[in-house]
């Protein structure tokens, strides 16, 4: 009987620990002064999907494009507790001047290698729906991927024009 109570107590403590996880907060809209966390570029000045990472502590970080988002997320040395990751649904947003249309980046579909460029060149076009990603790839080239299929090599910022890298 004593073991039963011990197991019940441990189980309830485990459940209590799980319930302390913070719920994701809503995505923040970009303003005219929202700048990239990596290089200070004003996000509204550039084409293609933008991204934001909301950490458990501190303000969110914004990125000029999804390539930068993946670069940050896939670097083990920059691991921080994350509440939410958002990008823009290019099935609904205008590529040249995307506004709003934020989606959960982890459940999105991505097109790698399209003819359309982001703020600094190649980027991953993000979509809420697989059919939108497939239609985009058919029209603009590229390969459709899930979030977890993107590798660190695919998001290496050193492969971009000018070899821009993330500050360490």
């Amino acid at each position: 009987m004593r073991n039963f109570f011990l197991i019940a107590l441990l189980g309830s403590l485990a459940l209590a620990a799980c319930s302390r996880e913070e719920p994701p907060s809503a995505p923040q809209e970009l303003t005219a002064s929202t700048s990239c966390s990596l290089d200070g570029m004003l996000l509204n000045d550039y084409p293609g999907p933008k991204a934001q990472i909301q950490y458990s502590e501190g303000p969110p970080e914004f990125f000029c494009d999804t390539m930068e988002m993946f670069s940050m997320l896939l670097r083990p040395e920059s691991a921080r507790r994350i509440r939410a990751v958002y990008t823009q649904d290019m099935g609904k947003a205008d590529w040249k001047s995307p506004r709003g249309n934020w989606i959960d980046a982890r459940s999105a579909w991505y097109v790698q290698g399209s003819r359309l460029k982001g703020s600094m060149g190649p980027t991953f076009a993000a979509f809420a729906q697989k059919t939108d990603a497939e239609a985009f790839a058919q029209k603009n080239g590229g390969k459709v991927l899930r979030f977890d299929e993107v590798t660190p090599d695919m998001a290496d910022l050193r492969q971009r024009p000018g070899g821009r890298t993330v500050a360490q």
Side-chain angles (χ1 to χ4, degrees):
M1 188 68 148
R2 184 176 172 178
N3 286 342
F4 173 77
F5 287 116
L6 182 59
I7 291 171
L9 176 64
L10 291 174
S12 64
L13 289 173
L15 287 174
C18 291
S19 66
R20 288 188 193 135
E21 187 173 313
E22 297 176 58
S25 56
Q28 293 188 14
E29 289 302 328
L30 304 178
T31 66
S33 63
T34 305
S35 62
C36 178
S37 296
L38 297 180
D39 56 26
M41 294 169 53
L42 294 176
L43 271 61
N44 284 340
D45 291 349
Y46 298 94
K50 309 301 181 260
Q52 57 183 280
I53 300 175
Q54 297 181 2
Y55 297 100
S56 292
E57 295 183 18
E61 290 187 346
F62 293 91
F63 301 95
C64 297
D65 61 29
T66 52
M67 179 78 86
E68 292 176 345
M69 172 196 74
F70 277 115
S71 177
M72 290 301 294
L73 291 173
L74 299 176
R75 291 177 51 213
E77 68 273 13
S78 65
R80 291 170 59 187
R81 290 186 61 155
I82 295 172
R83 291 179 69 182
V85 182
Y86 295 105
T87 188
Q88 292 172 303
D89 180 3
M90 300 317 290
K92 295 181 178 175
D94 174 26
W95 188 273
K96 292 179 183 176
S97 184
R99 301 286 184 264
N101 298 296
W102 294 102
I103 57 173
D104 179 345
R106 293 176 176 160
S107 65
W109 294 87
Y110 295 90
V111 176
Q112 176 198 23
S114 81
R115 287 185 285 280
L116 296 182
K117 304 298 180 209
S119 64
M120 296 295 289
T123 194
F124 295 89
F127 298 89
Q129 303 296 318
K130 182 179 183 183
T131 54
D132 290 342
E134 291 170 335
F136 179 89
Q138 182 73 27
K139 180 180 178 183
N140 299 293
K143 178 181 177 182
V144 177
L145 302 167
R146 290 300 317 211
F147 180 89
D148 60 356
E149 294 176 308
V150 177
T151 66
D153 288 341
M154 292 175 185
D156 186 346
L157 297 179
R158 293 173 295 186
Q159 297 177 19
R160 291 184 141 175
R164 185 172 71 157
T165 59
V166 178
Q168 301 203 354

